[in-house]
């Protein structure tokens, strides 16, 4: 086998493979990013827009020593699960990777993702785990409560949408079938205002311009809407005119904020956020409680499925009312605070100070006196609490896609609470985390939940029982 990095070509079994080469292949299964997986010359091929059972002509887009990336350019046999996507740009930007796959097939795929991850990492007893069918939506569209769109200028026109896959070229999204409709109504009006007022938008080539990103978040159960302008500079020319237009033409907007994030950076948010008009937050109702959401506060994107996710997690804990609970990666308290009425005490933590402030404030406005949140990493604070003599009877973790930190896993195993639930947004890191955790815990069940239809993303709730 020979690999020529300079020419981006590979030689497999006396056959040279380079970018642009086309070949026939049969798709065997789907990968974690929703791509089809097959083989060419006994080497793994990841091909976009291809589903299991399809026979395609694939064109190589990237060459690596041990695998190829390709795109389907012709379908000699289509899957019966292939459907017409609602969004014409579904194949160009992220967030719509599975929109041309029937919804029942999406749900089966997400359950299979968990099984693939378990097979890869092989935690103790994994073959006997009860992996339930994926819990899905009745109508898997119009669910995203937040639109976070970069804003650029193309041929004199202000555009806002998502980056074309693998580029920094913004695809203008005038409509979007997976967004909660109110977010798109407000977003398109804001884009029109920017155009009309001539406010300079960000230019990546020279890091000039003002508006980099517009974020619109809508509360499903209160009708509050927040607009955040992420800007390149503290200066916001024609700010007064913009606020006047929002007040007159978008009365549903109850909060307008500015986040300052200078320069060309991959980070969307800067450290400083200021109020431009209205409240500092919007209010969402979840599980009978009011939650105030500041601009940077994390909230599940799917407000329709969120209560169902939390119901599964809370039920899995099986609380009696006498437990001390740790709510790790707590965000604004959307899991921990509904638990408080079933517990003796709830202690939570998050690394974002604004989220912790929101969580503690949300406890106050909901008259919850047995819940408290601190700023810090779960892997640092839990060992500190254990050293102080606090012993949790139950723990619920909802980590980012990177999964649990090794220090936190050690702290969980050391404290070994009787009741333990893991809310995962990444089957791969979840399965990897189960390897050490299953030394002390059995897995009662894994419940996949589809929080992001039309994408390969999958959430899951894992219920543990101590051995």
């Amino acid at each position: 086998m020979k690999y020529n990095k300079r020419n981006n070509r590979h030689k497999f079994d006396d056959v040279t493979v380079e970018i642009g080469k086309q070949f026939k292949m049969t798709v065997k299964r789907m990968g974690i990013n929703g791509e089809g997986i097959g083989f060419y010359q006994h080497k793994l091929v990841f091909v976009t827009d291809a589903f299991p059972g399809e026979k395609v002509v694939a064109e190589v887009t990237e060459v690596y020593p041990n695998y190829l990336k390709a795109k389907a350019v012709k379908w000699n046999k289509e899957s019966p699960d292939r459907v017409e996507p609602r969004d014409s740009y579904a194949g160009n930007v992220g967030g719509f990777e599975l929109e041309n796959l029937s919804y029942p097939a999406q749900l089966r795929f997400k359950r299979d993702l968990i099984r693939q991850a378990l097979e890869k990492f092989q935690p103790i007893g994994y073959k006997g785990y009860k992996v339930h069918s994926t819990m899905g939506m009745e109508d898997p569209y119009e669910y995203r409560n937040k639109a976070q769109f970069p804003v650029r200028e193309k041929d004199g026109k202000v555009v806002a949408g998502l980056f074309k896959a693998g580029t920094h070229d913004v695809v203008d999204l005038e409509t979007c079938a997976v967004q909660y409709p109110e977010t798109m109504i407000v977003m398109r009006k804001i884009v029109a205002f920017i155009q009309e007022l001539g406010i300079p938008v960000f230019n990546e080539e020279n890091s000039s311009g003002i508006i980099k990103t517009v974020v619109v978040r809508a509360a499903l159960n209160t009708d509050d809407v927040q607009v955040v302008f992420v800007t390149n500079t503290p200066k916001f020319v024609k700010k007064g005119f913009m606020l006047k237009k929002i007040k007159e033409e978008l009365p549903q907007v109850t909060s307008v904020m500015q986040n300052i994030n200078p320069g060309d950076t991959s980070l969307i948010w800067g450290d400083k956020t200021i109020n431009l008009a209205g409240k500092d937050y919007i209010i969402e109702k979840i599980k009978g409680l009011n939650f105030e959401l500041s601009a940077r506060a994390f909230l599940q994107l799917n407000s329709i499925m969120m209560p169902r996710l939390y119901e599964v997690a809370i039920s899995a804990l099986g609380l009696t009312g006498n437990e001390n609970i740790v709510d790790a990666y707590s965000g604004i308290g959307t899991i921990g605070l509904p638990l408080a009425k079933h517990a003796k005490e709830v202690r939570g933590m998050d690394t974002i100070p604004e989220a912790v402030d929101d969580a503690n404030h949300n406890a106050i406005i909901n008259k919850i006196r047995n819940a408290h949140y601190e700023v810090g990493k779960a892997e640092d604070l839990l060992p500190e609490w254990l050293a102080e003599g606090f012993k949790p009877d139950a723990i619920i973790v909802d980590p980012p896609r990177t999964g649990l930190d090794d220090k936190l896993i050690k702290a969980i195993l050391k404290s070994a609470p009787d009741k333990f639930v893991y809310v995962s947004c990444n089957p791969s890191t979840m399965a990897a985390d189960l390897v050490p955790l299953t030394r002390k815990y059995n897995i009662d069940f894994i419940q996949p939940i589809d929080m992001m239809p039309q994408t390969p993303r999958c959430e899951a709730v894992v219920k543990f029982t101590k051995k």
Side-chain angles (χ1 to χ4, degrees), residues 36-281:
I37 296 177
F39 294 89
Y40 176 69
Q41 297 294 327
H42 308 294
K43 294 300 175 185
L44 207 57
V45 182
F46 297 91
V47 56
T48 57
D49 195 14
F51 302 132
E54 292 192 324
K55 296 181 183 297
V56 304
V57 175
E59 181 179 300
V60 176
T61 55
E62 296 178 52
V63 178
Y64 296 90
N66 298 314
Y67 64 93
L68 303 172
K69 286 189 176 182
K71 62 182 179 181
V73 294
K74 183 180 179 182
W75 290 260
N76 293 324
K77 179 187 174 183
E78 288 193 356
S79 166
D81 293 315
R82 181 174 288 277
V83 298
E84 191 68 26
R86 292 192 186 183
D87 294 291
S88 60
Y89 39 75
N92 293 325
V93 299
F96 309 89
E97 294 90 343
L98 301 184
E99 204 177 13
N100 54 358
L101 183 66
S102 73
Y103 193 53
Q106 290 184 37
L107 297 181
R108 293 194 300 271
F109 159 68
K110 294 185 181 190
R111 184 188 192 190
D112 186 56
L113 269 186
I114 291 172
R115 288 174 167 161
Q116 284 186 45
L118 294 173
E119 182 69 37
K120 178 181 178 181
F121 291 98
Q122 301 188 359
I124 297 169
Y126 73 96
K127 289 184 178 179
Y129 292 175
K130 188 182 293 183
V131 182
H132 295 312
S133 296
T134 308
M135 186 180 292
M137 297 184 70
E138 290 183 19
D139 181 11
Y141 293 95
E142 297 186 349
Y143 65 85
R144 295 179 72 111
N145 56 37
K146 183 168 74 170
Q148 188 168 276
F149 291 174
V151 181
R152 301 292 185 266
E153 185 176 291
K154 277 186 181 179
D155 301 322
K157 180 187 176 186
V158 175
V159 298
L162 298 172
F163 291 121
K164 188 174 181 178
T167 75
H168 272 218
D169 182 23
V170 174
V171 176
D172 195 27
L173 302 191
E174 294 188 359
T175 62
C176 183
V178 296
Q179 283 289 155
Y180 183 47
E182 197 65 39
T183 63
M184 291 303 292
I185 291 169
V186 173
M187 178 65 74
R188 298 316 303 181
K189 276 279 192 181
I190 295 293
V191 171
F193 296 161
I194 295 170
Q195 178 87 51
E196 184 181 338
L197 294 171
I199 301 172
V201 300
F202 189 62
N203 184 323
E204 289 186 25
E205 291 183 4
N206 54 21
S207 295
S208 64
I210 294 177
I211 299 177
K212 298 173 79 172
T213 304
V214 172
V215 184
V216 178
R217 177 150 59 183
L220 181 67
N221 299 303
T222 65
D223 297 327
D224 275 2
V225 178
Q226 183 180 69
V227 174
V228 183
F229 294 96
V230 180
T231 62
N232 186 39
T233 64
K235 184 180 180 181
F236 190 157
V237 298
K238 300 188 179 177
K239 176 176 66 180
F241 291 103
M242 173 63 77
L243 295 176
K244 184 173 184 289
K245 281 190 166 292
I246 291 173
K247 184 177 181 180
E248 290 176 350
E249 299 187 41
L250 292 170
Q252 65 269 51
V253 174
T254 55
S255 171
V256 185
M257 309 293 289
Q258 179 184 1
N259 176 266
I260 302 160
N261 184 21
D264 187 6
T265 168
S266 60
L267 299 175
I268 294 171
W269 296 92
D271 294 330
K272 186 176 182 181
T273 305
I274 57 178
N275 181 293
L276 299 182
K279 300 178 294 185
D280 289 342
Y281 54 84

